[in-house]
Amino acid sequence: MSDQTTLHPVYSQLMKRFPESVVVDDRPGFFGLVVQSNALPSVAAELRDRMGFDYCSSVTAVDDFPEEKMEVVYHFFKSVGGPQIELKVFLSRELPELPSLADLFPGVELQEREVWDLFGVRFIGHPDLRRILMWEGFDGHPLRKDWKEPLYEEDVKPFKSRWPEGKGERKELLNPYQNNVQYPRNFEPDEWVERADQAIYENLQTTQGSSSEAIKTDQLVVNLGPQHPSTHGVFRMAVLLEGETIVNLKPVVGYLHRNHEKIGERNTWLQIMPYTDRLDYLASMSNNFGYALTVEKLMGITPTERAEHIRVIMAELTRISSHVMTTGFLLNDLGAYFTPALYALEERELILDIFEEVAGSRMMCNYFRFGGLVRDVTPDVLKKIRHLVENRLPRKIDELDRYITNNDIVRMRCEGVGVITAEEAIAYSATGPILRASGVPYDIRRADPYSIYESLDFDVCTREHGDVYDRYLVRIDEIRQSLKIIKQVLDRIPEGPIMAGKSQYMTKVPAGESYGRVEGPRGELGYYVVSEGKPNPKRYHVRAPSFINLTGLAQMCKGAKVADAVTILGSVDIVLGEVDR
């Protein structure tokens, strides 16, 4: 049992309330409570209704193969801030079933579908339990430890054929299909019938009622994407329309899925770091930050003071870069085409110049390490950053503000569109600017501080209407707060080393589990890792804000027009590398 378990009074209260159903996870290095599956809804309701843990942030699973056991892991928080509560349910690998929490916490809907898809855990009572990242008819559940891909070589890296022998070969040439594919036993292509789309459309049409009581019209299903540029990548919205009005909507994802987490579990701890760059590829520094922080918690190490200050500078420059780009492309989604986006991209390029000089790469930075950073920043780079945050960027953000904020067309298209209330945003596990634009002052840098944020002076930016316009305004406000943060850090950055201890190729991570999270540009970016004390993680999971923020997309779009759906999606600000992983 860890100190986190013994010190948290909520665990004791739950054990007293459910003495027959709840026990402490007493494995060394682990924390939280183990709940019997039939008691899970009651325990979760107690957490939400009586103890104030109204925000279910993360749902994932762990395969304990070769044991005949599987775990489903939940992380709960209070929307007013504070540390986490972790619940686990142990299940049989042969028949893993447990009650869905979608009625209590609608934000788990897509996450439970992901666990079903990748682990084969069935959630009883789920409103739409289908595969989500793989296609219907896919053979097996690829995050199970006994599932092997067609080009399988070894369970973990470095592969012996590559190191130390160095004899690489094209594995697809060894596959009879000459590609990375395999088919179920007894599969007959001529007899196979594609049913995935039919399941989507049937689920859409279970919606009762009509958008108009005056004029009765037929309902029509229309697909937006996945090839359409307005969907910001290979993303699809299956939309049920009545005339031009949206009655219901289903996000369809997975077109860019590459099983990022399976790749991570094959890699060594350090090899995962550059793979995090490819999640939200507009925010690689934030991705590095979250993963480094999570593993550091498990290792029990603290970065040096200088490294902490540089990390915060890079994270806030990333936030500015991302929000500026989102603002430019929101105008693109409104129909202004590419001119406003070019104004925004110009400022982003200046920030990427800094990243290139510091990390050697503009987008895939791979800059953070456990205990510090790859390399120090020079006085010349700090001088360039100071010029950006004190002169250039404030002036350019004021320009964007002047051009956009009171523009009549922008206000007409954005005000009152895509509304989600504070209660709905919390229930749907929304995070980042979406949550704060609905009036919830929840920012992890304040709610559950990490690094040096607790010592910095900045405001949590909120608005009250929860519409597209307020989400835009929150991002503009947050750019200004990020500039304020960077100025403070530049004024107090100390001299000294940038690594705690010696840099190591092979990292020793003790057995146990860790959940770490940072406030990225799109909200809570969380990592859940489990270690067996080996060079590779047993479990590596990414709590992707772009993915989970899509849970509330249908709620935002209902009653809106078709053209509004594109604008609303733009205000959600997804990155498909992070959605599909």
Side-chain angles (χ1 to χ4, degrees), residues 304-353:
T304 65
E305 277 295 305
R306 182 170 177 84
E308 290 279 34
H309 283 70
I310 296 172
R311 284 180 171 192
V312 168
I313 291 173
M314 297 304 152
E316 296 307 318
L317 284 174
T318 298
R319 194 180 320 278
I320 295 168
S321 166
S322 177
H323 284 351
V324 163
M325 190 168 179
T326 300
T327 300
F329 277 94
L330 177 65
L331 271 290
N332 197 46
D333 293 331
L334 289 171
Y337 299 106
F338 209 58
T339 302
L342 286 175
Y343 280 98
L345 283 168
E346 185 178 4
E347 307 315 310
R348 177 173 177 266
E349 285 297 303
L350 296 174
I351 294 174
L352 297 191
D353 288 344

Side-chain angles (χ1 to χ4, degrees), residues 370-533:
F370 309 132
L373 303 162
V374 172
R375 60 184 66 84
D376 206 346
V377 296
T378 64
D380 185 52
V381 169
L382 292 176
K383 184 178 178 181
K384 290 178 182 178
I385 294 172
R386 188 178 288 278
H387 171 73
L388 267 182
V389 301
E390 291 184 354
N391 298 297
R392 170 84 186 207
L393 287 174
R395 188 172 72 252
K396 290 297 180 178
I397 298 310
D398 288 345
E399 267 185 29
L400 277 177
D401 194 356
R402 256 194 328 272
Y403 292 152
I404 300 171
T405 302
N406 290 313
N407 182 290
D408 288 342
I409 297 174
V410 170
R411 297 192 70 162
M412 182 178 65
R413 290 289 310 279
C414 296
E415 288 183 340
V417 174
V419 174
I420 187 168
T421 66
E423 294 76 15
E424 290 168 343
I426 293 168
Y428 282 109
S429 300
T431 185
I434 298 175
L435 185 62
R436 292 189 286 276
S438 296
V440 182
Y442 188 83
D443 184 316
I444 297 169
R445 296 172 295 174
R446 281 281 184 250
D448 191 10
Y450 56 94
S451 190
I452 59 170
Y453 280 108
E454 201 165 15
S455 65
L456 298 172
D457 175 30
F458 66 96
D459 299 324
V460 175
C461 305
T462 61
R463 297 283 170 162
E464 299 302 322
H465 304 102
D467 56 12
V468 171
Y469 190 66
D470 275 4
R471 292 193 274 277
Y472 151 73
L473 290 175
V474 163
R475 290 187 176 99
I476 293 295
D477 293 342
E478 288 187 356
I479 291 172
R480 293 189 168 115
Q481 292 302 313
S482 290
L483 292 171
K484 181 178 178 181
I485 288 170
I486 296 170
K487 289 176 189 175
Q488 293 174 65
V489 177
L490 287 172
D491 287 340
R492 52 189 261 193
I493 183 170
E495 297 295 329
I498 55 159
M499 276 294 293
K502 184 181 177 182
S503 298
Q504 295 180 335
Y505 169 72
M506 195 66 76
T507 305
K508 295 180 180 178
V509 179
E513 66 176 342
S514 174
Y515 182 73
R517 57 191 192 139
V518 296
E519 185 67 42
R522 281 149 199 84
E524 179 183 335
L525 173 62
Y527 293 88
Y528 175 71
V529 297
V530 178
S531 170
E532 294 179 304

Side-chain angles (χ1 to χ4, degrees), residues 61 63 112 115 124 210 344 365 375 379 407 440 487 505:
D63 186 5
E112 288 184 346
V115 174
I124 308 301
S210 166
C365 296
R375 60 184 66 84
N407 182 290
V440 182
K487 289 176 189 175
Y505 169 72

Side-chain angles (χ1 to χ4, degrees), residues 134-425:
M134 311 307 295
W135 57 95
E136 294 295 338
F138 180 84
D139 187 33
H141 302 281
L143 276 180
R144 287 193 171 213
K145 294 296 185 184
D146 54 351
W147 184 89
K148 311 295 185 188
E149 67 271 25
L151 305 185
Y152 170 79
E153 188 166 343
E154 293 180 52
D155 279 340
V156 294
K157 295 178 183 176
F159 295 150
K160 293 182 178 60
S161 65
R162 318 290 174 84
W163 183 88
E165 287 86 354
K167 298 177 182 177
E169 57 187 350
R170 295 185 64 188
K171 293 296 178 184
E172 60 267 29
L173 298 182
L174 306 180
N175 187 331
Y177 300 107
Q178 300 286 293
N179 209 331
N180 190 20
V181 294
Q182 65 187 6
Y183 296 99
R185 187 172 295 178
N186 301 322
F187 175 77
E188 293 292 341
D190 295 338
E191 298 176 6
W192 184 72
V193 178
E194 204 283 325
R195 302 187 185 278
D197 285 353
Q198 190 60 37
I200 296 171
Y201 304 148
E202 287 173 359
N203 192 276
L204 272 175
Q205 290 167 331
T206 57
T207 305
Q208 300 296 316
S210 166
S211 64
S212 170
E213 295 182 3
I215 302 174
K216 302 299 179 186
T217 60
D218 292 337
Q219 293 184 343
L220 176 69
V221 174
V222 173
N223 285 294
L224 303 180
Q227 289 87 11
H228 198 280
S230 68
T231 59
H232 291 240
V234 281
F235 173 73
R236 170 180 163 206
M237 293 183 284
V239 184
L240 183 65
L241 296 176
E242 205 166 82
E244 286 275 327
T245 303
I246 297 171
V247 179
N248 200 3
L249 178 147
K250 284 285 180 183
V252 185
V253 302
Y255 296 99
L256 205 62
H257 179 63
R258 63 269 189 204
N259 212 345
H260 172 91
E261 295 176 11
K262 187 84 167 184
I263 295 170
E265 291 168 16
R266 291 270 161 84
N267 287 342
T268 65
W269 291 96
L270 188 56
Q271 282 175 332
I272 293 173
M273 188 66 77
Y275 281 83
T276 66
D277 292 332
R278 277 85 178 161
L279 290 165
D280 177 352
Y281 38 74
L282 303 181
S284 76
M285 291 287 194
S286 289
N287 302 344
N288 286 185
F289 203 167
Y291 177 60
L293 183 141
T294 303
V295 179
E296 286 163 358
K297 284 173 66 176
L298 193 51
M299 296 173 69
I301 61 174
T302 303
T304 65
E305 277 295 305
R306 182 170 177 84
E308 290 279 34
H309 283 70
I310 296 172
R311 284 180 171 192
V312 168
I313 291 173
M314 297 304 152
E316 296 307 318
L317 284 174
T318 298
R319 194 180 320 278
I320 295 168
S321 166
S322 177
H323 284 351
V324 163
M325 190 168 179
T326 300
T327 300
F329 277 94
L330 177 65
L331 271 290
N332 197 46
D333 293 331
L334 289 171
Y337 299 106
F338 209 58
T339 302
L342 286 175
Y343 280 98
L345 283 168
E346 185 178 4
E347 307 315 310
R348 177 173 177 266
E349 285 297 303
L350 296 174
I351 294 174
L352 297 191
D353 288 344
I354 299 294
F355 291 167
E356 184 176 16
E357 195 161 348
V358 168
S361 176
R362 301 178 71 79
M363 290 181 67
M364 308 300 155
C365 296
N366 187 23
Y367 184 53
F368 287 49
R369 291 295 181 268
F370 309 132
L373 303 162
V374 172
R375 60 184 66 84
D376 206 346
V377 296
T378 64
D380 185 52
V381 169
L382 292 176
K383 184 178 178 181
K384 290 178 182 178
I385 294 172
R386 188 178 288 278
H387 171 73
L388 267 182
V389 301
E390 291 184 354
N391 298 297
R392 170 84 186 207
L393 287 174
R395 188 172 72 252
K396 290 297 180 178
I397 298 310
D398 288 345
E399 267 185 29
L400 277 177
D401 194 356
R402 256 194 328 272
Y403 292 152
I404 300 171
T405 302
N406 290 313
N407 182 290
D408 288 342
I409 297 174
V410 170
R411 297 192 70 162
M412 182 178 65
R413 290 289 310 279
C414 296
E415 288 183 340
V417 174
V419 174
I420 187 168
T421 66
E423 294 76 15
E424 290 168 343

